[in-house]
Amino acid sequence: MSAAPSSELLSKLFGAPAAEGCLGDRARLQGMLDFEAALARAEARVGLIPAQAAQSIGRQCRAELFDLAQLADGTEKAGNTAIPLVSALTSLVGADDPGAGRFVHFGATSQDAMDSGLVLQLREYDGHLSADIERLCKALALLARTHKESVLPGRTWLQQASPVSFGLKAAGWLDAMQRHAARLSEWRARALVLQFGGASGTLASLGNRGLEVAEALSRELDLALPALPWHAHRDRIAELAAVLGLLAGTLGKMGRDISLLMQTEVAEAFEPAGEGRGTSSAMPHKRNPVAAAVALAAATRVPGLVATLLAGMVQEHERGLGGWHAEWETLPELASIVAGSLHHMAEATEGLEIDAAQMRANLAAKGGVALAEAATAVLAPRLGRPQAHEIVGRASRRALETRKTLLETLASGPAVTAHVSRADLAAALEPGAYLGMAAAFIDRVLAAHDEEER
Amino acid sequence: MSAAPSSELLSKLFGAPAAEGCLGDRARLQGMLDFEAALARAEARVGLIPAQAAQSIGRQCRAELFDLAQLADGTEKAGNTAIPLVSALTSLVGADDPGAGRFVHFGATSQDAMDSGLVLQLREYDGHLSADIERLCKALALLARTHKESVLPGRTWLQQASPVSFGLKAAGWLDAMQRHAARLSEWRARALVLQFGGASGTLASLGNRGLEVAEALSRELDLALPALPWHAHRDRIAELAAVLGLLAGTLGKMGRDISLLMQTEVAEAFEPAGEGRGTSSAMPHKRNPVAAAVALAAATRVPGLVATLLAGMVQEHERGLGGWHAEWETLPELASIVAGSLHHMAEATEGLEIDAAQMRANLAAKGGVALAEAATAVLAPRLGRPQAHEIVGRASRRALETRKTLLETLASGPAVTAHVSRADLAAALEPGAYLGMAAAFIDRVLAAHDEEER
Amino acid sequence: MSAAPSSELLSKLFGAPAAEGCLGDRARLQGMLDFEAALARAEARVGLIPAQAAQSIGRQCRAELFDLAQLADGTEKAGNTAIPLVSALTSLVGADDPGAGRFVHFGATSQDAMDSGLVLQLREYDGHLSADIERLCKALALLARTHKESVLPGRTWLQQASPVSFGLKAAGWLDAMQRHAARLSEWRARALVLQFGGASGTLASLGNRGLEVAEALSRELDLALPALPWHAHRDRIAELAAVLGLLAGTLGKMGRDISLLMQTEVAEAFEPAGEGRGTSSAMPHKRNPVAAAVALAAATRVPGLVATLLAGMVQEHERGLGGWHAEWETLPELASIVAGSLHHMAEATEGLEIDAAQMRANLAAKGGVALAEAATAVLAPRLGRPQAHEIVGRASRRALETRKTLLETLASGPAVTAHVSRADLAAALEPGAYLGMAAAFIDRVLAAHDEEER
Amino acid sequence: MSAAPSSELLSKLFGAPAAEGCLGDRARLQGMLDFEAALARAEARVGLIPAQAAQSIGRQCRAELFDLAQLADGTEKAGNTAIPLVSALTSLVGADDPGAGRFVHFGATSQDAMDSGLVLQLREYDGHLSADIERLCKALALLARTHKESVLPGRTWLQQASPVSFGLKAAGWLDAMQRHAARLSEWRARALVLQFGGASGTLASLGNRGLEVAEALSRELDLALPALPWHAHRDRIAELAAVLGLLAGTLGKMGRDISLLMQTEVAEAFEPAGEGRGTSSAMPHKRNPVAAAVALAAATRVPGLVATLLAGMVQEHERGLGGWHAEWETLPELASIVAGSLHHMAEATEGLEIDAAQMRANLAAKGGVALAEAATAVLAPRLGRPQAHEIVGRASRRALETRKTLLETLASGPAVTAHVSRADLAAALEPGAYLGMAAAFIDRVLAAHDEEER
């Protein structure tokens, strides 16, 4: 039984299928083993070790052959996971092909296996994550398109302000997600590279063949060869953390917005209910924002984890003491949480239920005073801005006190009706008429999305 | 198979026996089940439910009866772990005693089970942690006592300064550990309390019997009854995080100090080697500071996790959305890491090897110029402070340039020898003679420690 | 002009009078100067320096005599603020009393002045902060007492749940504030101590008089004398950060709760308006939650700053490199932000406007289905729990669909009316009747508060 | 006097000229005023307001015309800085040209001025920062080139390992800096854009002219026009924080490496001394690593600040409550600290003193056992890897015990000399001969640097 306080119980709530298979212990082992197998093949290719040895090594490079508990014991002693793994691998290979054992891990250091293995894991993770980003973008684009005219209160400082459309909200979310996709792609080009440096980063134990082996190895793994080994420079790793942090922030904002819209008193949008999802038999009126809670929890946890990976960058000389170790559990955790947030938010977005009638009702609820700016706009050309401003201000306050509408209140005074007809006033106070450039903004975002899709 | 990226592989390196058994999923379930069993007993005691039902419920409250994977599915849907657990428990109880099922979880809400269960877990954790703190304190006290006169360079800004004793270093670590023990004990008194409030924190579904049940329940669990339910006030939880954060900081400082002392060029102290621990067959001169790395990794990770729990305190109304969820994996992780850091550092301290000769050699290495202040002190009464200062400064620079000792350099000039004999100078420049109040400070700390022990 | 990006512009919004005068540059200088003056007096008292020199030194220990820009230049070169300050002080003293200059800072090191000066600043800060905590507690106690029966929806996951009273909310806030006061007082006892250790923490340059001087100095400054100098052990500093972090978390929760209550669609509570405070002339219906925004901003910023101070604890040997420096701006910033959050939240709480009618209206708005649990509770004894549950569930859903009340819906079916009269049902569904132990809980908290006051 | 705890005292130590002038309060005001002036010009250009009004407005848009203390008072009331600034600007304009006042800020909202003003500040900041990155890169390239053959111990886990060259260390630092430059440039393209949305982000108060004004305004400010207003989407801001966080991490690693090399016991590299910089008259042997301390302090502080900005991304609806406010002081602080770290590290790197002789001496100090791997490499082809390994291991341990060299120890046994001559052994154990691909790696990095320079 594991001593680790990790939670299988919570893995489905906070995690995602995307993170399964590429972030756990088995994947960690397989990443290192894929490195070892490829190293042997590369060294065989350049003639440093026998081809048969490479084959013998490759045969044992399967994570399921290794005993986690035993490797955990070895890790405690050695201070990293590669030392006991290489030792166990060497035994397996040697048992199968006595002459091949000594070619295992030839010329490499623990960190080469660990870092390159990690990069392989991250390549797979990136694929899954990108697919989920695309899925979310598609759902958001549909919402933006569909709800271009679903008018609802804009809300600033949590107070109703001039109206917006729900499509504009969705377009704002989409626009941000597109930037995250771009960031991930820039990271990909910079970070999916080989780590191979030997004991101190010079590949000295390979004599003058180091670069040749490195090139062959990078071809075997289909990873770019960086200018030099990067074992003690963790910016590529921390950059992924940062990109995930930014992504989690936007997902958290979506979760916050959706959960606020789902409030009993607002009730404008709802996560899909599914079978028993977020519902309460005791309180059948409740529709708990579960996906929003997941996204908000992630947005709460992620900044601290990103900070850890930034803090861990300060690594000593040719191999860090503590800073490197701090990455080993933090990065997979971070990656898993963000994948989970994205997965649950994509699902929620695809099934999001919108109550456009309630949106309009909320806008009307306080006598429509959220349209005060619109009223001022229609009066200003006739009365001058300052006077229009003052009249609307007074009317708004009176409307709130008397529980009448702003329209009614304005239309009841000759100061206004002498200049604008009630019908014109009513038209101006129609929320859907006061959306400004909302539709144009939505179209600009959708154009970028369609471009991307093509 | 779990989707969680938790690492069994790393559990021994970063964790501790103290965290085993009280922080994992099974412990989480058992905590909630202990709450449910005690709730049933308490309600039977005050006559709210039949005694037999309480017995039937109690019989099923064993974590091993539940299927983690199934609970994980239910958790994803419900948004917390208690809903599927209570539902599964109800089925089990009902299957065994058909009439008893409806008395499961009577009057409670999910968070009551989760929070009170957590408090039970933390009580056990606290016991283990405190034992390890005591163990570390004992080892530090021994070091402080033993090395009261083991003189080594003080180091400020990583530069040699006036000497200290190794006992003073140990006393400083010990003094801080004693403060942590006090903080933990203050937290204990404040935080090991029952959570029981029902749906919104009023216990309304128990009619006018709420307080009575709460009192009986707190007796059953041997937890104090707080002034009111605290479900949305997480300061007790975050305070533990903070105390652990402070502890991790001191352990990290110890790890930093020890790893610096273990540097090849310094070589004044060494973690115990153990069988294969931190050694490298390829580089037999290496003695890797594994425990220090663990403590430094913990000190790198912990601040971000503490920040998460502080950030999570901002919870909405009567139950938080995201902030509460952010605690569920973060607190056990934090607790496990700190227990691991403490455990490894206690072990390393107990076996710490000190090379007092090397300490003296390092002090002497740069011609003993680290004693410049001592030289000034002996000359000042005779020459006046400013002149003494200047003479010693000049001599120190010359000593470094000519690779002679400061003693030799000073003793070669009549400006000095006219006032102080070479023998007096030599005595003043003896590092062990320039330890000021070090021994007295050590005694003050040890006195507090002995007090504590008694 | 200062190069620092600090903001006078924002100092009133984010800061507090409490922080004025004890956290800025002048206060920092004065703290160090108070240390220097007291050191001279202490050394004169024990006969180490002439009494007249102590007087001469004391005369120049006024912050306003020093030029900040010049000290800033010196700080860049020396790496700390005490070196240029001591140098400037020595010049001032020497100009006034030629013989006294050499007694300035005698036997002390820069960190002694900086840390002890900081402790003096924090003592003053603590006084102001504690006063504001008390002020907030008083305001909260009044709210708890006054609104014991102001019933409003409980809200979990941002969904309406069983009702609570506003007094219970206030009591929950108060209860947490009282714990913060206790934490602060525990910190005070542990941390308001002298730092005095000389170059490496042994006071060696004072020969065998070190402890004697330290005792005299601690009496002069009215600070306790710790077991040993603590220059490289920063847990006392980081503990204050942690306590402030916990405080900021509760204030943030208050800010979140209040801002949610102030939403246009909820409108149950309002920050005091004041002259132009949080209002908008363009949108007269708006009442922006400015104090809540300040508290939420603080709660967002504080966790990262606490993390910094925890991370900074890992300090090397006898004086840290970077970790110590990281404290210098972070701690005052943190202290200022938390004081600001407290100050603004105390002010807002004192003037908080409660709309109890709106609270009841919100409870009634969805047909009163938030009382579903109460309905179940009244039916369960007659129908059995499971059937009661099902009937109420069905009725709730129907009430929501048909926009009727839960009472009406339940009362229209013979399945219910056969067992409970409409009048009994109506009584049970009266929110004020379903507050369980709320009043008792409030009383428990108020009792603790009154105890404290006495 | 300001209530803010900002420190002019520390501004030179922690800050940089790069941050002066573009991050302080005056720059903040000027950014907003530049926005207001440009808005007026743009609106005049499209015919929305009179050209003369635009001129009158432009004339008053100078930061020095405004009173900080008065604006600070207004900020406390209004909750942001733009409201009092626009109000003061309107008064100034009105006093000068009575008809023009009402055209101030026409169609804009506070956040438009604040965010676009911030972008203008950041554009200037980015210019300064990029120049300092280039300066540091140039200095690093020179070090890499010059010290291609300056051999020193590689150090892993702070233990000596196979040798590296100092040029390789410098190349590693340079390689990372080049990635930071690329990240900054990607950010620049994404983030230096206009914010202009009006009250809720629709520009509704400009009727159907919104996009036209936005386009004219973006031309006036020479900022790209984004797809839609981004007021509540802060990823562009947080991304800068992340990029600065990564940069600070590398600078912190440099600071850590340099400070470790500067240790009294290592003494391989030194920050430039300058006049009084980092030196101590009392301890003339000390050369305090001041720039390293600055970089390490920054690396300690920055992760928490980045976390704050990530956490702040969760902003409600059309304008955040707390999250946005959390940016206002955090971002300038972060930007200033990183600029300071970069500035001081660039200066230190340009003047870095290298003691190549001491590097070789340190490698030789422990009998040259750091070359154990090299010895194994030369013996393996003759003796087989396992036996070579065992022999070298035994010899290394013996060398350490007997304080002889590894060469001597190996050469004294026939097991070795039967296969390899002493001369060959000596050649193999020559550190400079065991640098593997170090020079090739350096060249690869320099080629990328030269490419960049061209």
Side-chain angles (χ1 to χ4, degrees), chain A residues 88-103:
Chain A
L89 175 61
T90 304
S91 299
L92 279 182
V93 171
D96 174 54
D97 173 356
R102 65 199 152 113
F103 297 114

Side-chain angles (χ1 to χ4, degrees), chain C residues 3 5-9 12 14 20 25 72-73 76-77 259 275 277-278 301 321-322 325 329 333 336 344, chain D residues 3 5-9 12 14 20 25 72-73 76-77 259 275 277-278 297 301 321 325 329 333 336 344:
Chain C
S6 68
S7 182
E8 186 184 339
L9 254 182
K12 291 242 173 140
F14 293 138
E20 267 195 77
D25 270 348
D73 282 340
E76 187 187 8
K77 271 181 202 138
S259 66
E275 23 150 352
R277 182 159 182 98
R301 293 172 66 183
L321 187 73
H325 303 75
E329 292 191 324
E333 180 182 358
S336 169
H344 286 89
Chain D
S6 68
S7 182
E8 186 184 340
L9 254 182
K12 291 241 173 141
F14 292 138
E20 266 194 78
D25 270 349
D73 283 340
E76 187 187 8
K77 270 178 200 139
S259 66
E275 23 150 352
R277 184 162 180 95
R301 292 171 66 182
L321 187 73
H325 303 74
E329 293 191 323
E333 180 183 357
S336 168
H344 285 90

Side-chain angles (χ1 to χ4, degrees), chain A residues 3 5-9 12 14 20 25 72-73 76-77 259 275 277-278 297 301 321 325 329 333 336 344, chain B residues 3 5-9 12 14 20 25 72-73 76-77 259 275 277-278 301 321-322 325 329 333 336 344:
Chain A
S6 66
S7 182
E8 186 184 340
L9 255 181
K12 290 238 173 144
F14 292 138
E20 269 195 75
D25 270 347
D73 282 340
E76 187 187 8
K77 272 182 200 135
S259 66
E275 21 148 352
R277 184 159 179 97
R301 293 171 66 182
L321 188 72
H325 303 76
E329 293 191 323
E333 181 181 358
S336 169
H344 286 90
Chain B
S6 67
S7 182
E8 186 185 338
L9 254 182
K12 290 241 173 141
F14 292 138
E20 267 194 77
D25 270 349
D73 282 340
E76 187 186 8
K77 271 179 202 139
S259 66
E275 23 150 352
R277 184 161 180 96
R301 293 171 67 182
L321 188 72
H325 302 74
E329 293 191 323
E333 181 182 357
S336 168
H344 286 89

